[in-house]
Amino acid sequence: MTTLRSPLALAGAAVIAVLIGLAGWTELNHAAGLSTGSDMDAYWNAAMRLRSGQALYAPGLPTDSDLYRYAPWFAYAWVPVTHLPKAAVLVGWMTFCLAAAVASVAPLLWRGPAGWATIALLLPFQLEGAAFGNVQPLLVLLLLWGVERRSGPMWIAVAASLKATPFLLTAVYAGRGEWKRAGSTVLITALLVLPMLLFDLRGYSTRIGGGQMSLLTVSPFLWVPVSGAAIAVMWILARTRYAWLAGSVAVILALPRFIIYEIGLVLIGLAPVRQGRELGQ
């Protein structure tokens, strides 16, 4: 029976590998054809507005790559680099983003064929975010590396101040009964986000543009229960090895604006659960 199943298993694995390879190649080609570093304009232009005393949150179309939607601290962090040549900053930032994209899938190298197939499937999405010059590959790497560390609340708060829904990862700490870490995450997030209220928010765009479909754009009556169910699953699995995987799925499902490269957020699920934090330990 084993000899009959082995060829079938190999054939099935080969078909899956080809499909994953084709999907990865297609996405990689798409990423290569993007307007390189266009999202960096949002960070650069926001910093330049701060330097010139203009409104941080300038109005624009929801699909504009230079539309700034993040917490103020990030724009202030970009102010010093705006004194350098923009072309040089673009090269440095793109290199940084590409390195983060590759590093975020590195843990999969040691997981055998299944890990390699996952790299082929997910790395192109991370590279697409990097090609745009979007901060996402760096956020994914920081969360993957940091959520289980003592500094975990800070990394979740940083990600939440830029992408909002990573704040839901706080439910993993709460589900484990790690109330001090959960409280720290809430406090740091508030410190990073609340300064937005000191700025003129009339130009802040909450509209969702074309190509940014999400469950919310389908129906709020679908988005709310699905997001709630995902958070409940994350809470239930908080003490298992699947805690961060459930958390990453909840983060993606709750996104009010979904762009295809944000599938890369699922890589947060690779964060290793520290020994002693699983059920029964």
Side-chain angles (χ1 to χ4, degrees), residues 254-268:
L255 285 167
R257 299 166 52 253
F258 177 74
I259 303 172
I260 190 66
Y261 61 73
E262 287 173 321
I263 290 175
L265 288 165
V266 76
L267 287 164
I268 301 167

PDB file of all heavy atoms in Angstrom, residues 254-268:
ATOM      1  N   ALA A 254      -8.842  41.779   9.771  1.00  0.00           N
ATOM      2  CA  ALA A 254      -9.394  43.023  10.323  1.00  0.00           C
ATOM      3  C   ALA A 254      -8.945  44.262   9.568  1.00  0.00           C
ATOM      4  O   ALA A 254      -9.453  45.358   9.840  1.00  0.00           O
ATOM      5  CB  ALA A 254      -9.007  43.149  11.792  1.00  0.00           C
ATOM      6  N   LEU A 255      -8.029  44.122   8.626  1.00  0.00           N
ATOM      7  CA  LEU A 255      -7.556  45.294   7.892  1.00  0.00           C
ATOM      8  C   LEU A 255      -8.720  46.003   7.191  1.00  0.00           C
ATOM      9  O   LEU A 255      -9.452  45.381   6.425  1.00  0.00           O
ATOM     10  CB  LEU A 255      -6.518  44.887   6.844  1.00  0.00           C
ATOM     11  CG  LEU A 255      -5.126  44.528   7.361  1.00  0.00           C
ATOM     12  CD1 LEU A 255      -4.323  43.836   6.261  1.00  0.00           C
ATOM     13  CD2 LEU A 255      -4.393  45.784   7.838  1.00  0.00           C
ATOM     14  N   PRO A 256      -8.888  47.292   7.414  1.00  0.00           N
ATOM     15  CA  PRO A 256      -9.961  48.015   6.712  1.00  0.00           C
ATOM     16  C   PRO A 256      -9.620  48.261   5.249  1.00  0.00           C
ATOM     17  O   PRO A 256     -10.508  48.396   4.413  1.00  0.00           O
ATOM     18  CB  PRO A 256     -10.061  49.337   7.482  1.00  0.00           C
ATOM     19  CG  PRO A 256      -8.726  49.514   8.115  1.00  0.00           C
ATOM     20  CD  PRO A 256      -8.216  48.142   8.412  1.00  0.00           C
ATOM     21  N   ARG A 257      -8.325  48.328   4.949  1.00  0.00           N
ATOM     22  CA  ARG A 257      -7.834  48.464   3.577  1.00  0.00           C
ATOM     23  C   ARG A 257      -6.853  47.333   3.338  1.00  0.00           C
ATOM     24  O   ARG A 257      -5.832  47.236   4.007  1.00  0.00           O
ATOM     25  CB  ARG A 257      -7.105  49.809   3.368  1.00  0.00           C
ATOM     26  CG  ARG A 257      -7.932  51.033   3.595  1.00  0.00           C
ATOM     27  CD  ARG A 257      -7.074  52.281   3.699  1.00  0.00           C
ATOM     28  NE  ARG A 257      -6.154  52.429   2.589  1.00  0.00           N
ATOM     29  CZ  ARG A 257      -4.825  52.236   2.672  1.00  0.00           C
ATOM     30  NH1 ARG A 257      -4.276  51.876   3.813  1.00  0.00           N
ATOM     31  NH2 ARG A 257      -4.063  52.404   1.612  1.00  0.00           N
ATOM     32  N   PHE A 258      -7.150  46.479   2.385  1.00  0.00           N
ATOM     33  CA  PHE A 258      -6.278  45.332   2.140  1.00  0.00           C
ATOM     34  C   PHE A 258      -5.581  45.480   0.795  1.00  0.00           C
ATOM     35  O   PHE A 258      -6.223  45.628  -0.246  1.00  0.00           O
ATOM     36  CB  PHE A 258      -7.071  44.030   2.165  1.00  0.00           C
ATOM     37  CG  PHE A 258      -6.234  42.820   1.845  1.00  0.00           C
ATOM     38  CD1 PHE A 258      -5.343  42.325   2.775  1.00  0.00           C
ATOM     39  CD2 PHE A 258      -6.308  42.208   0.598  1.00  0.00           C
ATOM     40  CE1 PHE A 258      -4.544  41.224   2.486  1.00  0.00           C
ATOM     41  CE2 PHE A 258      -5.522  41.106   0.299  1.00  0.00           C
ATOM     42  CZ  PHE A 258      -4.640  40.612   1.245  1.00  0.00           C
ATOM     43  N   ILE A 259      -4.247  45.465   0.833  1.00  0.00           N
ATOM     44  CA  ILE A 259      -3.425  45.479  -0.371  1.00  0.00           C
ATOM     45  C   ILE A 259      -2.732  44.124  -0.440  1.00  0.00           C
ATOM     46  O   ILE A 259      -2.301  43.582   0.589  1.00  0.00           O
ATOM     47  CB  ILE A 259      -2.408  46.627  -0.334  1.00  0.00           C
ATOM     48  CG1 ILE A 259      -3.151  47.958  -0.152  1.00  0.00           C
ATOM     49  CG2 ILE A 259      -1.564  46.671  -1.606  1.00  0.00           C
ATOM     50  CD1 ILE A 259      -2.251  49.143   0.093  1.00  0.00           C
ATOM     51  N   ILE A 260      -2.594  43.558  -1.613  1.00  0.00           N
ATOM     52  CA  ILE A 260      -2.207  42.168  -1.772  1.00  0.00           C
ATOM     53  C   ILE A 260      -0.924  41.799  -1.028  1.00  0.00           C
ATOM     54  O   ILE A 260      -0.814  40.708  -0.471  1.00  0.00           O
ATOM     55  CB  ILE A 260      -2.096  41.804  -3.278  1.00  0.00           C
ATOM     56  CG1 ILE A 260      -1.923  40.300  -3.478  1.00  0.00           C
ATOM     57  CG2 ILE A 260      -0.983  42.588  -3.940  1.00  0.00           C
ATOM     58  CD1 ILE A 260      -3.117  39.481  -3.062  1.00  0.00           C
ATOM     59  N   TYR A 261       0.060  42.727  -0.973  1.00  0.00           N
ATOM     60  CA  TYR A 261       1.318  42.366  -0.319  1.00  0.00           C
ATOM     61  C   TYR A 261       1.156  42.194   1.193  1.00  0.00           C
ATOM     62  O   TYR A 261       2.038  41.648   1.869  1.00  0.00           O
ATOM     63  CB  TYR A 261       2.430  43.370  -0.632  1.00  0.00           C
ATOM     64  CG  TYR A 261       2.185  44.792  -0.202  1.00  0.00           C
ATOM     65  CD1 TYR A 261       2.236  45.166   1.132  1.00  0.00           C
ATOM     66  CD2 TYR A 261       1.937  45.783  -1.151  1.00  0.00           C
ATOM     67  CE1 TYR A 261       2.028  46.474   1.522  1.00  0.00           C
ATOM     68  CE2 TYR A 261       1.739  47.097  -0.773  1.00  0.00           C
ATOM     69  CZ  TYR A 261       1.781  47.445   0.560  1.00  0.00           C
ATOM     70  OH  TYR A 261       1.568  48.744   0.945  1.00  0.00           O
ATOM     71  N   GLU A 262       0.010  42.635   1.740  1.00  0.00           N
ATOM     72  CA  GLU A 262      -0.195  42.488   3.183  1.00  0.00           C
ATOM     73  C   GLU A 262      -0.454  41.040   3.585  1.00  0.00           C
ATOM     74  O   GLU A 262      -0.511  40.731   4.778  1.00  0.00           O
ATOM     75  CB  GLU A 262      -1.327  43.412   3.634  1.00  0.00           C
ATOM     76  CG  GLU A 262      -0.877  44.867   3.619  1.00  0.00           C
ATOM     77  CD  GLU A 262      -1.992  45.864   3.889  1.00  0.00           C
ATOM     78  OE1 GLU A 262      -3.113  45.665   3.397  1.00  0.00           O
ATOM     79  OE2 GLU A 262      -1.718  46.867   4.587  1.00  0.00           O
ATOM     80  N   ILE A 263      -0.556  40.143   2.607  1.00  0.00           N
ATOM     81  CA  ILE A 263      -0.574  38.712   2.908  1.00  0.00           C
ATOM     82  C   ILE A 263       0.695  38.333   3.671  1.00  0.00           C
ATOM     83  O   ILE A 263       0.698  37.408   4.490  1.00  0.00           O
ATOM     84  CB  ILE A 263      -0.696  37.895   1.603  1.00  0.00           C
ATOM     85  CG1 ILE A 263      -2.096  38.073   1.005  1.00  0.00           C
ATOM     86  CG2 ILE A 263      -0.411  36.408   1.839  1.00  0.00           C
ATOM     87  CD1 ILE A 263      -2.275  37.413  -0.344  1.00  0.00           C
ATOM     88  N   GLY A 264       1.770  39.082   3.432  1.00  0.00           N
ATOM     89  CA  GLY A 264       3.030  38.815   4.119  1.00  0.00           C
ATOM     90  C   GLY A 264       2.942  38.909   5.633  1.00  0.00           C
ATOM     91  O   GLY A 264       3.803  38.376   6.347  1.00  0.00           O
ATOM     92  N   LEU A 265       1.901  39.554   6.139  1.00  0.00           N
ATOM     93  CA  LEU A 265       1.730  39.649   7.598  1.00  0.00           C
ATOM     94  C   LEU A 265       1.584  38.284   8.256  1.00  0.00           C
ATOM     95  O   LEU A 265       1.826  38.137   9.458  1.00  0.00           O
ATOM     96  CB  LEU A 265       0.504  40.508   7.926  1.00  0.00           C
ATOM     97  CG  LEU A 265       0.639  42.012   7.673  1.00  0.00           C
ATOM     98  CD1 LEU A 265      -0.722  42.694   7.681  1.00  0.00           C
ATOM     99  CD2 LEU A 265       1.557  42.657   8.707  1.00  0.00           C
ATOM    100  N   VAL A 266       1.198  37.278   7.474  1.00  0.00           N
ATOM    101  CA  VAL A 266       1.039  35.936   8.037  1.00  0.00           C
ATOM    102  C   VAL A 266       2.369  35.388   8.547  1.00  0.00           C
ATOM    103  O   VAL A 266       2.395  34.477   9.382  1.00  0.00           O
ATOM    104  CB  VAL A 266       0.414  34.983   6.987  1.00  0.00           C
ATOM    105  CG1 VAL A 266       1.437  34.553   5.946  1.00  0.00           C
ATOM    106  CG2 VAL A 266      -0.203  33.759   7.662  1.00  0.00           C
ATOM    107  N   LEU A 267       3.480  35.957   8.084  1.00  0.00           N
ATOM    108  CA  LEU A 267       4.796  35.509   8.542  1.00  0.00           C
ATOM    109  C   LEU A 267       5.015  35.767  10.026  1.00  0.00           C
ATOM    110  O   LEU A 267       5.890  35.159  10.641  1.00  0.00           O
ATOM    111  CB  LEU A 267       5.896  36.199   7.730  1.00  0.00           C
ATOM    112  CG  LEU A 267       6.052  35.712   6.281  1.00  0.00           C
ATOM    113  CD1 LEU A 267       6.879  36.697   5.477  1.00  0.00           C
ATOM    114  CD2 LEU A 267       6.673  34.325   6.255  1.00  0.00           C
ATOM    115  N   ILE A 268       4.210  36.658  10.615  1.00  0.00           N
ATOM    116  CA  ILE A 268       4.297  36.873  12.071  1.00  0.00           C
ATOM    117  C   ILE A 268       4.040  35.564  12.802  1.00  0.00           C
ATOM    118  O   ILE A 268       4.536  35.334  13.903  1.00  0.00           O
ATOM    119  CB  ILE A 268       3.278  37.941  12.519  1.00  0.00           C
ATOM    120  CG1 ILE A 268       3.541  39.268  11.795  1.00  0.00           C
ATOM    121  CG2 ILE A 268       3.329  38.160  14.026  1.00  0.00           C
ATOM    122  CD1 ILE A 268       2.418  40.280  11.940  1.00  0.00           C
TER     123      ILE A 268
END
